[in-house]
Amino acid sequence: MSKEQPFAALTPDFILDAVESRGFYSDGRAIALNSYENRVLQIGIEDSNPIIAKFYRPNRWTKAQILEEHDFCFELVEQELPVVAPMLTQGESLFEYKGYYCALFERKGGHAPELDNLDNLFTLGRFLGRIHKVGQAKTYALRPELTPQTYGHDSIDYIIEHALPPEVKMPYESLARDVMKLVDELWQKAGQQRYIRVHGDCHVGNILWRDDNPHFVDLDDSRMAPAVQDVWMLLSGERDQQQKQLLEIIEGYQEFCDFNVAELQLVECLRTLRMIYHSAWLARRWHDPAFKHAFPYFGSVQYWQEQILDLRVQFAELQEAPVSLPTY
Protein backbone atom coordinates (compact mmCIF):
# COMPACT_ATOMS: atom_id res chain seq x y z
CA MET A 1 0.00 0.00 0.00
CA SER A 2 1.16 3.52 -0.73
CA LYS A 3 2.74 5.60 2.02
CA GLU A 4 1.24 8.68 0.37
CA GLN A 5 -2.27 7.20 0.38
CA PRO A 6 -2.33 4.56 3.14
CA PHE A 7 -6.09 4.05 2.92
CA ALA A 8 -6.45 4.22 -0.86
CA ALA A 9 -7.65 0.60 -1.01
CA LEU A 10 -10.58 1.28 1.33
CA THR A 11 -13.22 1.54 -1.34
CA PRO A 12 -16.87 0.96 -0.35
CA ASP A 13 -16.75 -2.57 -1.76
CA PHE A 14 -13.50 -3.35 0.09
CA ILE A 15 -14.95 -2.13 3.40
CA LEU A 16 -18.17 -4.13 3.06
CA ASP A 17 -16.27 -7.24 1.94
CA ALA A 18 -14.03 -6.98 5.03
CA VAL A 19 -17.03 -6.76 7.35
CA GLU A 20 -18.89 -9.56 5.60
CA SER A 21 -15.81 -11.78 5.89
CA ARG A 22 -16.59 -11.90 9.62
CA GLY A 23 -20.14 -13.11 9.11
CA PHE A 24 -22.03 -9.79 9.06
CA TYR A 25 -24.20 -9.05 6.07
CA SER A 26 -24.32 -5.39 5.23
CA ASP A 27 -27.33 -3.53 3.88
CA GLY A 28 -24.89 -1.46 1.80
CA ARG A 29 -24.72 1.58 4.05
CA ALA A 30 -21.34 2.81 5.24
CA ILE A 31 -20.99 6.15 7.01
CA ALA A 32 -17.52 7.55 7.68
CA LEU A 33 -17.08 8.75 11.27
CA ASN A 34 -14.78 11.50 12.50
CA SER A 35 -11.32 9.95 12.62
CA TYR A 36 -8.01 10.92 11.02
CA GLU A 37 -5.47 8.51 12.45
CA ASN A 38 -7.48 5.43 11.48
CA ARG A 39 -10.55 4.93 9.31
CA VAL A 40 -13.71 4.35 11.31
CA LEU A 41 -17.09 3.68 9.71
CA GLN A 42 -20.61 2.82 10.77
CA ILE A 43 -21.80 -0.15 8.76
CA GLY A 44 -25.47 -0.95 8.29
CA ILE A 45 -26.31 -4.62 8.96
CA GLU A 46 -29.30 -6.44 7.50
CA ASP A 47 -32.05 -7.05 10.08
CA SER A 48 -29.83 -5.86 12.92
CA ASN A 49 -28.23 -2.82 14.50
CA PRO A 50 -25.33 -1.14 12.72
CA ILE A 51 -21.79 -1.91 13.85
CA ILE A 52 -18.58 0.12 13.84
CA ALA A 53 -15.61 -0.99 11.74
CA LYS A 54 -12.17 0.37 12.53
CA PHE A 55 -9.36 0.01 10.00
CA TYR A 56 -6.01 0.70 11.66
CA ARG A 57 -3.46 2.97 10.02
CA PRO A 58 -0.79 0.73 8.49
CA ASN A 59 2.57 0.62 10.26
CA ARG A 60 1.48 2.65 13.28
CA TRP A 61 0.96 -0.16 15.78
CA THR A 62 2.10 -3.74 15.48
CA LYS A 63 -0.46 -6.50 15.81
CA ALA A 64 0.87 -7.27 19.29
CA GLN A 65 0.56 -3.64 20.38
CA ILE A 66 -3.05 -3.48 19.18
CA LEU A 67 -3.86 -6.69 21.02
CA GLU A 68 -2.35 -5.28 24.22
CA GLU A 69 -4.88 -2.45 24.06
CA HIS A 70 -7.70 -4.92 23.31
CA ASP A 71 -6.72 -7.03 26.31
CA PHE A 72 -6.85 -3.93 28.53
CA CYS A 73 -10.36 -3.20 27.22
CA PHE A 74 -11.46 -6.74 28.03
CA GLU A 75 -10.04 -6.46 31.55
CA LEU A 76 -12.06 -3.28 32.06
CA VAL A 77 -15.24 -4.89 30.74
CA GLU A 78 -14.72 -7.84 33.08
CA GLN A 79 -14.85 -5.33 35.94
CA GLU A 80 -18.18 -4.05 34.55
CA LEU A 81 -16.68 -0.75 33.44
CA PRO A 82 -18.42 1.15 30.62
CA VAL A 83 -15.71 0.79 28.00
CA VAL A 84 -16.61 -0.02 24.41
CA ALA A 85 -14.40 -3.03 23.69
CA PRO A 86 -13.91 -4.74 20.32
CA MET A 87 -16.23 -7.57 19.42
CA LEU A 88 -14.99 -11.13 19.23
CA THR A 89 -15.62 -12.57 15.78
CA GLN A 90 -14.46 -16.08 14.91
CA GLY A 91 -12.71 -16.02 18.29
CA GLU A 92 -10.64 -12.93 17.51
CA SER A 93 -10.86 -9.22 18.39
CA LEU A 94 -8.52 -8.24 15.55
CA PHE A 95 -8.41 -9.62 12.04
CA GLU A 96 -6.40 -8.89 8.94
CA TYR A 97 -8.09 -8.31 5.63
CA LYS A 98 -5.92 -7.85 2.54
CA GLY A 99 -3.19 -5.99 4.38
CA TYR A 100 -5.28 -4.02 6.87
CA TYR A 101 -5.86 -4.77 10.53
CA CYS A 102 -9.51 -4.31 11.44
CA ALA A 103 -11.68 -4.50 14.56
CA LEU A 104 -15.46 -4.39 14.90
CA PHE A 105 -17.41 -2.73 17.70
CA GLU A 106 -21.00 -2.47 18.80
CA ARG A 107 -22.47 0.92 18.04
CA LYS A 108 -23.17 2.86 21.23
CA GLY A 109 -25.20 6.04 21.32
CA GLY A 110 -24.73 9.00 23.61
CA HIS A 111 -23.64 12.62 23.76
CA ALA A 112 -20.62 14.49 25.06
CA PRO A 113 -20.63 14.98 28.84
CA GLU A 114 -21.38 18.42 30.22
CA LEU A 115 -18.13 19.25 31.98
CA ASP A 116 -19.55 22.37 33.62
CA ASN A 117 -21.76 20.03 35.65
CA LEU A 118 -19.82 19.21 38.81
CA ASP A 119 -21.91 16.08 39.46
CA ASN A 120 -20.85 14.77 36.05
CA LEU A 121 -17.21 15.39 36.92
CA PHE A 122 -17.57 13.51 40.20
CA THR A 123 -19.05 10.57 38.27
CA LEU A 124 -16.24 10.73 35.70
CA GLY A 125 -13.71 10.72 38.54
CA ARG A 126 -15.25 7.59 40.06
CA PHE A 127 -15.04 5.71 36.78
CA LEU A 128 -11.49 6.91 36.08
CA GLY A 129 -10.49 5.69 39.52
CA ARG A 130 -11.88 2.27 38.71
CA ILE A 131 -10.22 2.24 35.28
CA HIS A 132 -6.86 3.15 36.78
CA LYS A 133 -7.24 0.52 39.47
CA VAL A 134 -7.31 -2.02 36.67
CA GLY A 135 -4.60 -0.12 34.77
CA GLN A 136 -2.24 -0.48 37.72
CA ALA A 137 -2.63 -4.25 37.89
CA LYS A 138 -0.43 -4.92 34.85
CA THR A 139 1.90 -3.04 32.53
CA TYR A 140 2.11 -2.77 28.78
CA ALA A 141 5.10 -4.71 27.52
CA LEU A 142 5.10 -3.26 24.00
CA ARG A 143 3.24 0.05 23.98
CA PRO A 144 5.34 3.19 24.57
CA GLU A 145 5.43 5.54 27.53
CA LEU A 146 4.26 9.15 27.48
CA THR A 147 7.32 11.12 28.57
CA PRO A 148 8.86 14.54 27.82
CA GLN A 149 11.28 12.70 25.52
CA THR A 150 8.71 10.77 23.47
CA TYR A 151 6.09 13.50 23.22
CA GLY A 152 8.26 16.62 23.43
CA HIS A 153 11.91 16.34 22.42
CA ASP A 154 11.35 13.71 19.73
CA SER A 155 8.48 15.76 18.29
CA ILE A 156 10.55 18.94 18.18
CA ASP A 157 13.39 17.12 16.44
CA TYR A 158 10.99 15.86 13.77
CA ILE A 159 9.37 19.28 13.32
CA ILE A 160 12.73 21.02 12.90
CA GLU A 161 13.97 18.48 10.39
CA HIS A 162 10.82 18.04 8.32
CA ALA A 163 8.23 20.78 8.80
CA LEU A 164 9.47 24.28 9.65
CA PRO A 165 9.63 27.01 6.98
CA PRO A 166 12.99 28.84 7.04
CA GLU A 167 11.31 32.10 8.18
CA VAL A 168 10.28 30.64 11.54
CA LYS A 169 12.86 27.93 12.13
CA MET A 170 15.09 29.91 14.50
CA PRO A 171 12.38 31.48 16.70
CA TYR A 172 10.39 28.22 16.93
CA GLU A 173 13.39 26.05 17.75
CA SER A 174 14.77 28.47 20.33
CA LEU A 175 11.42 28.83 22.11
CA ALA A 176 10.53 25.14 21.93
CA ARG A 177 13.89 24.14 23.44
CA ASP A 178 13.42 26.65 26.28
CA VAL A 179 9.89 25.39 26.92
CA MET A 180 11.05 21.78 27.04
CA LYS A 181 13.87 22.66 29.42
CA LEU A 182 11.25 23.97 31.82
CA VAL A 183 9.01 20.93 31.25
CA ASP A 184 11.94 18.66 32.09
CA GLU A 185 12.60 20.59 35.31
CA LEU A 186 8.96 20.45 36.39
CA TRP A 187 8.69 16.75 35.51
CA GLN A 188 11.69 16.04 37.72
CA LYS A 189 10.34 18.31 40.47
CA ALA A 190 7.12 16.28 40.57
CA GLY A 191 9.16 13.30 41.73
CA GLN A 192 9.31 9.69 40.63
CA GLN A 193 6.30 9.01 38.43
CA ARG A 194 4.26 5.83 38.52
CA TYR A 195 3.41 4.90 34.95
CA ILE A 196 0.20 2.93 34.52
CA ARG A 197 -2.00 1.88 31.64
CA VAL A 198 -4.27 4.83 30.89
CA HIS A 199 -6.90 5.71 28.30
CA GLY A 200 -4.39 8.21 26.94
CA ASP A 201 -6.76 10.50 25.03
CA CYS A 202 -9.52 11.10 27.56
CA HIS A 203 -11.28 14.15 26.16
CA VAL A 204 -15.00 14.79 25.67
CA GLY A 205 -14.91 13.44 22.11
CA ASN A 206 -14.01 10.00 23.47
CA ILE A 207 -16.67 9.93 26.18
CA LEU A 208 -20.32 9.18 25.42
CA TRP A 209 -22.78 10.21 28.13
CA ARG A 210 -25.74 7.87 28.37
CA ASP A 211 -28.07 6.85 31.20
CA ASP A 212 -26.35 9.35 33.53
CA ASN A 213 -23.02 7.59 33.12
CA PRO A 214 -19.96 7.93 30.88
CA HIS A 215 -19.04 5.35 28.28
CA PHE A 216 -15.39 5.45 27.21
CA VAL A 217 -14.48 4.81 23.58
CA ASP A 218 -11.35 4.72 21.43
CA LEU A 219 -8.40 3.56 23.54
CA ASP A 220 -6.21 3.69 20.44
CA ASP A 221 -3.77 6.07 22.19
CA SER A 222 -3.64 4.01 25.38
CA ARG A 223 -0.13 3.77 26.76
CA MET A 224 1.90 3.90 29.95
CA ALA A 225 1.63 7.35 31.54
CA PRO A 226 1.04 9.12 34.85
CA ALA A 227 -2.59 8.87 35.97
CA VAL A 228 -3.10 12.63 35.61
CA GLN A 229 -2.95 12.20 31.81
CA ASP A 230 -6.58 11.01 31.97
CA VAL A 231 -7.60 13.89 34.24
CA TRP A 232 -6.20 17.14 32.88
CA MET A 233 -8.17 17.20 29.61
CA LEU A 234 -11.40 17.32 31.65
CA LEU A 235 -10.38 20.70 33.14
CA SER A 236 -11.34 23.97 31.47
CA GLY A 237 -11.88 27.65 32.14
CA GLU A 238 -10.10 29.97 34.57
CA ARG A 239 -7.95 28.78 37.45
CA ASP A 240 -10.75 28.94 40.06
CA GLN A 241 -13.03 26.92 37.79
CA GLN A 242 -10.34 24.29 37.24
CA GLN A 243 -9.79 24.02 41.00
CA LYS A 244 -13.49 23.25 41.56
CA GLN A 245 -13.55 20.78 38.69
CA LEU A 246 -10.43 19.05 39.90
CA LEU A 247 -11.81 18.69 43.42
CA GLU A 248 -14.91 16.89 42.13
CA ILE A 249 -12.92 14.58 39.85
CA ILE A 250 -10.38 13.59 42.49
CA GLU A 251 -13.00 13.12 45.22
CA GLY A 252 -14.76 10.63 42.96
CA TYR A 253 -11.47 9.08 41.83
CA GLN A 254 -10.21 8.42 45.34
CA GLU A 255 -13.26 6.37 46.25
CA PHE A 256 -11.60 3.60 44.23
CA CYS A 257 -7.95 4.49 43.66
CA ASP A 258 -5.31 6.61 45.39
CA PHE A 259 -4.26 9.69 43.45
CA ASN A 260 -0.73 11.08 43.70
CA VAL A 261 -1.31 14.83 44.16
CA ALA A 262 2.31 15.51 43.14
CA GLU A 263 1.22 14.70 39.58
CA LEU A 264 -0.77 17.94 39.47
CA GLN A 265 2.59 19.59 38.81
CA LEU A 266 2.41 17.90 35.41
CA VAL A 267 -0.91 19.34 34.18
CA GLU A 268 0.57 22.25 32.21
CA CYS A 269 3.52 20.07 31.20
CA LEU A 270 1.12 17.60 29.63
CA ARG A 271 -0.85 20.37 27.95
CA THR A 272 2.41 21.67 26.46
CA LEU A 273 3.50 18.23 25.32
CA ARG A 274 0.15 17.67 23.62
CA MET A 275 0.50 20.93 21.67
CA ILE A 276 3.96 20.04 20.43
CA TYR A 277 3.06 16.42 19.72
CA HIS A 278 -0.01 17.50 17.73
CA SER A 279 2.11 19.59 15.35
CA ALA A 280 4.56 16.72 14.89
CA TRP A 281 1.63 14.34 14.31
CA LEU A 282 0.34 16.58 11.52
CA ALA A 283 3.81 16.74 10.00
CA ARG A 284 4.20 12.96 10.10
CA ARG A 285 0.81 12.43 8.47
CA TRP A 286 1.06 15.18 5.85
CA HIS A 287 1.47 12.68 3.03
CA ASP A 288 -2.10 11.48 3.73
CA PRO A 289 -4.54 13.47 1.54
CA ALA A 290 -7.13 13.47 4.33
CA PHE A 291 -4.82 15.61 6.44
CA LYS A 292 -4.23 18.12 3.65
CA HIS A 293 -7.98 18.46 3.31
CA ALA A 294 -8.72 18.73 7.04
CA PHE A 295 -5.79 20.99 7.99
CA PRO A 296 -5.19 23.09 4.86
CA TYR A 297 -3.08 25.80 6.48
CA PHE A 298 -0.76 23.46 8.39
CA GLY A 299 2.87 24.11 7.55
CA SER A 300 2.30 27.70 6.49
CA VAL A 301 4.29 30.51 8.08
CA GLN A 302 1.05 31.70 9.70
CA TYR A 303 0.47 28.29 11.30
CA TRP A 304 3.92 28.25 12.88
CA GLN A 305 3.65 31.87 14.00
CA GLU A 306 0.47 30.91 15.85
CA GLN A 307 2.28 27.94 17.39
CA ILE A 308 5.02 30.27 18.60
CA LEU A 309 2.44 32.53 20.23
CA ASP A 310 0.73 29.55 21.87
CA LEU A 311 4.04 28.22 23.18
CA ARG A 312 4.84 31.62 24.66
CA VAL A 313 1.55 31.49 26.54
CA GLN A 314 2.37 27.98 27.73
CA PHE A 315 5.84 29.06 28.79
CA ALA A 316 4.20 31.62 31.08
CA GLU A 317 1.65 29.08 32.35
CA LEU A 318 4.41 26.63 33.22
CA GLN A 319 5.90 29.25 35.54
CA GLU A 320 2.65 29.70 37.47
CA ALA A 321 1.66 27.62 40.49
CA PRO A 322 -0.07 24.42 39.37
CA VAL A 323 -3.71 23.64 40.04
CA SER A 324 -4.03 22.03 43.44
CA LEU A 325 -6.41 20.40 45.87
CA PRO A 326 -7.46 22.29 49.00
CA THR A 327 -5.78 21.34 52.25
CA TYR A 328 -7.73 21.13 55.48
Side-chain angles (χ1 to χ4, degrees):
M1 62 196 66
S2 168
K3 178 182 178 182
E4 287 70 30
Q5 298 191 46
F7 293 107
L10 295 188
T11 63
D13 286 344
F14 183 101
I15 293 165
L16 298 183
D17 287 347
V19 172
E20 292 187 350
S21 75
R22 308 308 283 185
F24 294 92
Y25 296 97
S26 170
D27 61 12
R29 294 177 296 168
I31 303 172
L33 303 181
N34 186 27
S35 177
Y36 296 112
E37 186 64 8
N38 305 298
R39 292 295 180 267
V40 183
L41 305 102
Q42 177 177 296
I43 309 297
I45 302 299
E46 288 185 0
D47 302 321
S48 187
N49 294 324
I51 62 173
I52 304 300
K54 177 178 181 179
F55 292 86
Y56 290 84
R57 177 173 291 273
N59 303 316
R60 183 186 181 221
W61 297 120
T62 65
K63 179 179 181 180
Q65 287 173 321
I66 297 172
L67 290 175
E68 273 197 322
E69 176 236 316
H70 287 192
D71 288 343
F72 183 32
C73 289
F74 294 137
E75 290 175 48
L76 295 171
V77 171
E78 286 176 4
Q79 297 301 316
E80 299 182 346
L81 281 156
V83 170
V84 180
M87 301 165 60
L88 290 175
T89 61
Q90 301 176 19
E92 299 176 308
S93 63
L94 182 72
F95 65 96
E96 186 174 356
Y97 186 80
K98 297 183 179 179
Y100 288 92
Y101 288 124
C102 184
L104 305 177
F105 301 79
E106 291 184 36
R107 186 192 65 169
K108 299 289 186 179
H111 58 83
E114 297 175 0
L115 296 185
D116 56 354
N117 184 320
L118 296 181
D119 289 338
N120 287 356
L121 290 173
F122 180 82
T123 300
L124 280 166
R126 295 179 82 244
F127 280 107
L128 282 178
R130 292 178 62 195
I131 288 172
H132 287 180
K133 193 72 173 178
V134 177
Q136 292 174 358
K138 298 179 183 177
T139 61
Y140 282 137
L142 301 172
R143 285 192 160 232
E145 293 183 345
L146 192 168
T147 68
Q149 183 65 47
T150 59
Y151 259 51
H153 294 289
D154 291 350
S155 295
I156 291 170
D157 290 344
Y158 189 89
I159 288 168
I160 291 168
E161 184 174 354
H162 297 283
L164 283 177
E167 300 94 319
V168 294
K169 185 171 184 178
M170 183 179 298
Y172 181 89
E173 180 174 7
S174 176
L175 176 59
R177 299 297 189 197
D178 287 343
V179 167
M180 283 307 304
K181 181 179 179 181
L182 184 52
V183 167
D184 288 336
E185 292 172 359
L186 292 172
W187 205 273
Q188 185 174 10
K189 182 180 177 181
Q192 183 67 35
Q193 302 306 316
R194 181 180 186 183
Y195 284 76
I196 66 171
R197 294 176 297 174
V198 299
H199 182 290
D201 197 23
C202 193
H203 58 76
V204 292
N206 284 332
I207 303 171
L208 299 175
W209 199 263
R210 189 174 71 252
D211 302 326
D212 295 324
N213 281 311
H215 296 259
F216 297 87
V217 302
D218 193 9
L219 274 74
D220 193 60
D221 283 307
S222 181
R223 61 193 66 216
M224 301 295 292
V228 73
Q229 169 64 11
D230 281 350
V231 173
W232 75 266
M233 277 184 273
L234 303 177
L235 306 178
S236 61
E238 300 298 324
R239 177 60 62 93
D240 61 334
Q241 294 173 293
Q242 292 190 34
Q243 298 279 172
K244 293 176 182 177
Q245 295 162 1
L246 181 65
L247 178 60
E248 293 296 326
I249 294 170
I250 301 304
E251 280 191 352
Y253 185 100
Q254 295 199 129
E255 288 189 2
F256 296 95
C257 191
D258 290 335
F259 181 79
N260 178 11
V261 296
E263 289 187 9
L264 296 178
Q265 183 75 57
L266 304 180
V267 168
E268 291 304 325
C269 294
L270 289 164
R271 194 187 313 276
T272 304
L273 292 175
R274 187 175 177 85
M275 289 171 53
I276 295 171
Y277 185 83
H278 180 74
S279 290
W281 174 66
L282 292 176
R284 290 186 174 103
R285 298 292 181 256
W286 199 238
H287 56 267
D288 185 333
F291 279 74
K292 290 183 172 68
H293 178 74
F295 307 97
Y297 77 114
F298 170 76
S300 66
V301 172
Q302 179 186 354
Y303 172 87
W304 291 109
Q305 288 173 336
E306 291 175 1
Q307 292 303 302
I308 289 170
L309 290 175
D310 289 343
L311 282 177
R312 285 174 178 162
V313 171
Q314 275 307 111
F315 191 58
E317 290 290 338
L318 287 165
Q319 297 175 71
E320 297 291 332
V323 291
S324 60
L325 296 174
T327 57
Y328 302 103

